[in-house]
Amino acid sequence: MFVTITFIRWLHLVGAAALVGGMVLQLFVVSPLLSGIDPAIRGKLAKKATDYYLPVFWVSMALLIITGAFVIFDRLVSLENMVFPYKNSYETFWLLKLSFVGGIGLLGILIARLSNEVRGSSRQQSESQNDSVKFIYLEQRKNRLRHVISLLRNLNVVLGIFVLLWAAVLQNIFGLLILR
């Protein structure tokens, strides 16, 4: 059993590293690189980067949810019959961590949808090159959407860092409970 739970925790850490690391890479490397590129090429490169990272994001989320459920079950079962002053704090921090994870998932869905809207606006823009008013409107819409996507990505990275922070807090609380 010890080997199994150790392997599951290792998978959980790999999923967290892939998820948060990928979000940080996207935010601090890919986005700044794309901002300095010609807008005609930027969209294709952004789509290519998204196509590579999106499966990693969703596999990491699934891995984290599945392995996290095992880890939490193991922890809560081991704390079940114990009566300690920190037991409720562990459960509170655990729920807070889960809410951050849910926020990351929801923001991931929202970012993907908004990115599809940017691509749709680009297609509409290429079809309406003769209509300058519509072309300008679509360009302004794309810029607003890109700004919102950028803010949501920043928020997603912050939530990812909070999840890692809360994981450390949970580990310390669990250690306090077991060592008492």
Side-chain angles (χ1 to χ4, degrees):
M1 183 65 181
F2 176 74
V3 173
T4 305
I5 197 67
T6 302
F7 180 69
I8 289 172
R9 286 188 183 149
W10 178 79
L11 284 175
H12 196 71
L13 289 173
V14 167
L19 182 73
V20 176
M23 289 188 308
V24 168
L25 180 73
Q26 185 85 7
L27 182 67
F28 292 114
V29 176
V30 175
S31 293
L33 281 173
L34 289 177
S35 67
I37 294 177
D38 178 34
I41 300 170
R42 182 186 318 148
K44 291 177 185 175
L45 288 174
K47 182 176 179 353
K48 195 74 163 167
T50 300
D51 289 346
Y52 278 116
Y53 178 64
L54 216 50
V56 172
F57 178 87
W58 291 115
V59 167
S60 296
M61 282 294 283
L63 185 65
L64 286 168
I65 290 168
I66 292 167
T67 58
F70 279 106
V71 170
I72 287 301
F73 179 76
D74 177 57
R75 292 273 170 95
L76 292 179
V77 165
S78 64
L79 294 175
E80 189 174 275
N81 296 323
M82 296 183 184
V83 179
F84 291 118
Y86 300 112
K87 184 177 177 189
N88 290 339
S89 339
Y90 184 84
E91 293 165 355
T92 303
F93 277 104
W94 175 70
L95 289 173
L96 191 56
K97 180 183 172 186
L98 277 183
S99 65
F100 288 147
V101 169
I104 289 171
L106 291 175
L107 284 175
I109 292 168
L110 185 58
I111 289 168
R113 293 186 87 182
L114 292 176
S115 296
N116 285 337
E117 284 189 39
V118 168
R119 284 192 284 280
S121 292
S122 293
R123 272 186 246 113
Q124 289 177 353
Q125 206 173 19
S126 65
E127 293 169 358
S128 66
Q129 296 229 348
N130 296 335
D131 188 0
S132 62
V133 173
K134 187 174 182 181
F135 186 86
I136 291 170
Y137 167 75
L138 289 171
E139 186 63 33
Q140 290 172 342
R141 183 171 185 265
K142 280 187 346 186
N143 287 335
R144 282 192 307 271
L145 286 172
R146 283 185 184 127
H147 181 68
V148 169
I149 290 169
S150 175
L151 292 174
L152 292 176
R153 282 185 178 153
N154 292 345
L155 181 58
N156 228 0
V157 169
V158 169
L159 286 177
I161 291 168
F162 274 136
V163 166
L164 294 177
L165 174 68
W166 261 223
V169 168
L170 283 169
Q171 182 66 31
N172 287 334
I173 292 173
F174 185 75
L176 285 173
L177 292 173
I178 294 302
L179 293 175
R180 274 191 155 249

